[in-house]
Amino acid sequence: MLTVVGIGPGSEAMMTEQAIAAIRDADIIVGYKTYTHLVKPLIKDKEVIKTGMCKEIERCLVAIELAEQGKKVAMVCSGDAGIYGMAGLILEIVTRQQRQVEVRVVAGITASIAASALLGAPLMHDFCHISLSDLLTPWEVIEKRIQAAAQADFVVCFYNPRSRGRDEHLARAFALMAPWTSPQTPVGVVKAANRKKEEKWLTTFEEMDFERVDMTSLVIVGNKTTYISNGLMITPRGYVL
């Protein structure tokens, strides 16, 4: 059995009981080294196989091979395993290669949900997720999605917003949104949600400070109805009050 586990944003308090049970029940834990460290208190003396960035395929193949040997394997992913996590890659390999292993996916709290709760209620109406990482998706495709989301007035959650190697992507995304986005549109940023170095702040579209954002950040750009009140970012659902 191979269980792909979404461990949430970073703290055990934000993990589901199903996720905790899957880790405790596993013989072997596989994952990116940062994520295995986040669940270290649950792992105890279990065997742990961890790899660095850009080793996703190798990591999945190891997990699948161990599961085929009859081991109970838990592949841990931050947030939700099915949202920019390893669930898709695991299932792609298993189905395309016709591997003989049972796969179970355990849901987790993704970054946008964790960030939304910390900021208030910015995701109360239609919203979308857009990753600004072009490692697996051509930047031209990402640009089209950004423009389409802004034109349609979605609340936009930007994953992987900015890194040392991609320090201009978030600024470029804002420039692409600008024709359809008011300068006063609220923007919320949460860095390292539910981890020791958690930070959050509210700003506006025109006053956005891109330098404060890194790869652990989640950036939420509101829609035309989103507002800030008493330190809370709120997107009305449409109720008449």
Side-chain angles (χ1 to χ4, degrees):
M1 165 70 79
L2 172 53
T3 306
V4 194
V5 184
I7 64 171
S11 67
E12 186 176 334
M14 294 289 282
M15 292 178 64
T16 66
E17 292 184 5
Q18 190 178 30
I20 293 171
I23 292 171
R24 287 178 172 164
D25 187 54
D27 300 317
I28 303 173
I29 308 297
V30 181
Y32 173 51
K33 57 185 179 181
T34 298
Y35 305 152
T36 60
H37 179 73
L38 289 173
V39 295
K40 191 174 181 179
L42 297 174
I43 294 175
K44 296 184 178 179
D45 59 350
K46 297 180 187 293
E47 180 181 354
V48 179
I49 298 174
K50 51 189 175 182
T51 61
M53 291 287 287
C54 301
K55 298 291 184 181
E56 291 86 357
I57 294 177
E58 294 91 331
R59 194 154 66 235
C60 289
L61 288 171
V62 167
I64 291 168
E65 289 166 4
L66 290 169
E68 287 179 327
Q69 295 170 16
K71 303 289 186 179
K72 290 189 290 185
V73 181
M75 165 72 80
V76 294
C77 313
S78 70
D80 179 79
I83 300 177
Y84 304 126
M86 291 291 98
L89 182 54
I90 286 285
L91 293 174
E92 282 187 75
I93 295 172
V94 168
T95 56
R96 292 185 182 186
Q97 297 183 2
Q98 298 184 335
R99 305 293 288 264
Q100 301 304 305
V101 58
E102 182 181 354
V103 178
R104 181 170 67 110
V105 179
V106 174
I109 297 173
T110 190
S112 62
I113 305 302
S116 176
L118 291 168
L119 295 171
L123 306 184
M124 278 298 297
H125 216 304
D126 297 336
F127 66 95
C128 67
H129 292 165
I130 299 178
S131 171
L132 296 184
S133 172
D134 58 356
L135 293 177
L136 300 174
T137 305
W139 180 250
E140 294 77 13
V141 174
I142 296 172
E143 285 190 340
K144 290 180 181 178
R145 292 172 179 172
I146 294 168
Q147 291 173 312
Q151 189 171 10
D153 198 31
F154 279 101
V155 174
V156 181
C157 305
F158 285 117
Y159 279 66
N160 306 311
R162 191 170 180 272
S163 68
R164 291 179 182 177
R166 297 182 289 99
D167 60 353
E168 297 299 324
H169 282 194
L170 184 59
R172 177 58 181 157
F174 271 53
L176 291 167
M177 297 180 73
W180 302 280
T181 307
S182 166
Q184 299 307 312
T185 299
V187 176
V189 183
V190 176
K191 182 185 294 187
N194 290 274
R195 299 184 190 180
K196 291 182 179 179
K197 296 182 178 181
E198 176 187 285
E199 294 181 57
K200 64 176 181 177
W201 65 91
L202 296 170
T203 184
T204 62
F205 192 81
E206 69 174 349
E207 296 176 347
M208 179 66 183
D209 181 0
F210 304 110
E211 295 297 322
R212 296 182 65 184
V213 178
D214 62 15
M215 279 292 287
T216 69
S217 305
L218 193 289
V219 179
I220 300 180
V221 180
N223 67 13
K224 287 181 172 60
T225 68
T226 305
Y227 66 95
I228 294 175
S229 179
N230 296 322
L232 299 172
M233 184 176 179
I234 304 165
T235 300
R237 181 70 179 89
Y239 298 105
V240 178
L241 299 177

